[in-house]
Amino acid sequence: KMKAVKTFVTSLSHSDAVEALERGSLEVEGITIDTKTEMVSKLSFSREGDNWEPASTPEGDVVAAIDCTQNEAILAAGKARELINHIQQLRKAAGLDMKDVVEAFFDESVESTETAVSMNVSLFENKFKGSVPMPKRCAPAWSVVIASDSVEIGGSKVEVSISRPALAVKDGLSELANTYLSTVKPSSVEKDQVLKCTIDGDEISLTEGKDFWLSTADKMRGTSGLSWM
């Protein structure tokens, strides 16, 4: 009678199955089944649409319904991780150590990667100790590229590069002041420090955080040159 019992049990409605489990027994074809020891309640998930995926334990007593919808935030996070990976590969190819500081830049024909970076600024800051990859258009003219590569991020071609740290200057600063600041190593300057120099016989003072910044990312933060910084 096992076939008849199986057919009967599997055809139970949800409410009938719950009632039998709570009662502790079930009568089928003159056979009494102990529902606490002889029956196992297995859960299932009836999904609607392709964006849902179920996962259950081997016993079937726990089912997790996972929403696999790839919204803008999820796609942007994926692109951000791709960019991090390409930057790490460039560092490795250049033979850099963990302690070596660089600035990362990217250049693209569409703003797909920039959107991804803008939505994941904290991710980059945590990964690169406060540094954030910047659009190439923001880089100082004297930025020295250490390594670069043309890669695909989210299906789009992107030129990714790493450069030696360089001071970023205020827009409209004199050419001579720019020339002087281009020779100064960021590692030799502290926050809010005032640099003094003589240009064409005139002594001028240049203040960090006002006339120049320790990195391009710092300049974008201080001037709102990029709305997302």
Side-chain angles (χ1 to χ4, degrees), residues 64-226:
I66 305 168
D67 185 356
C68 299
T69 303
Q70 291 190 324
N71 58 26
E72 186 178 3
I74 293 174
L75 293 172
K79 293 176 183 178
R81 287 191 292 270
E82 286 186 58
L83 179 56
I84 288 174
N85 182 52
H86 290 307
I87 293 172
Q88 298 287 48
Q89 289 180 5
L90 287 176
R91 290 180 60 94
K92 183 177 180 180
L96 300 179
D97 295 327
M98 290 292 292
K99 67 178 183 297
D100 293 324
V101 179
V102 297
E103 291 187 84
F105 297 95
F106 57 88
D107 190 23
E108 58 185 346
S109 57
V110 295
E111 294 187 357
S112 174
T113 301
E114 183 169 349
T115 299
V117 174
S118 70
M119 296 175 67
N120 294 276
V121 171
S122 60
L123 173 65
F124 289 101
E125 289 177 334
N126 292 333
K127 187 66 178 180
F128 297 128
K129 300 179 180 179
S131 181
V132 179
M134 292 282 103
K136 185 67 174 178
R137 65 180 184 274
C138 301
W142 48 85
S143 179
V144 178
V145 176
I146 300 172
S148 66
D149 193 13
S150 180
V151 301
E152 274 199 9
I153 297 179
S156 299
K157 286 288 185 181
V158 182
E159 185 75 21
V160 181
S161 61
I162 55 174
S163 303
R164 294 176 183 172
L167 296 182
V169 302
K170 180 177 68 175
D171 295 341
L173 207 60
S174 71
E175 183 177 348
L176 289 175
N178 284 350
T179 300
Y180 164 68
L181 290 173
S182 70
T183 66
V184 179
K185 293 183 177 180
S187 59
S188 67
V189 183
E190 297 180 354
K191 285 283 187 181
D192 302 319
Q193 183 175 341
V194 177
L195 297 180
K196 294 183 179 182
C197 63
T198 301
I199 299 178
D200 288 344
D202 296 326
E203 185 175 293
I204 63 173
S205 297
L206 300 167
T207 305
E208 194 284 325
K210 179 182 177 183
D211 301 303
F212 69 93
W213 292 263
L214 301 182
S215 69
T216 300
D218 282 348
K219 176 185 176 181
M220 295 301 107
R221 290 189 188 97
T223 62
S224 298
L226 292 172

Side-chain angles (χ1 to χ4, degrees), residues 26-38:
L26 181 66
E27 294 288 337
V28 184
E29 297 286 335
I31 299 174
T32 301
I33 300 174
D34 187 335
T35 57
K36 293 184 178 180
T37 60
E38 297 177 328

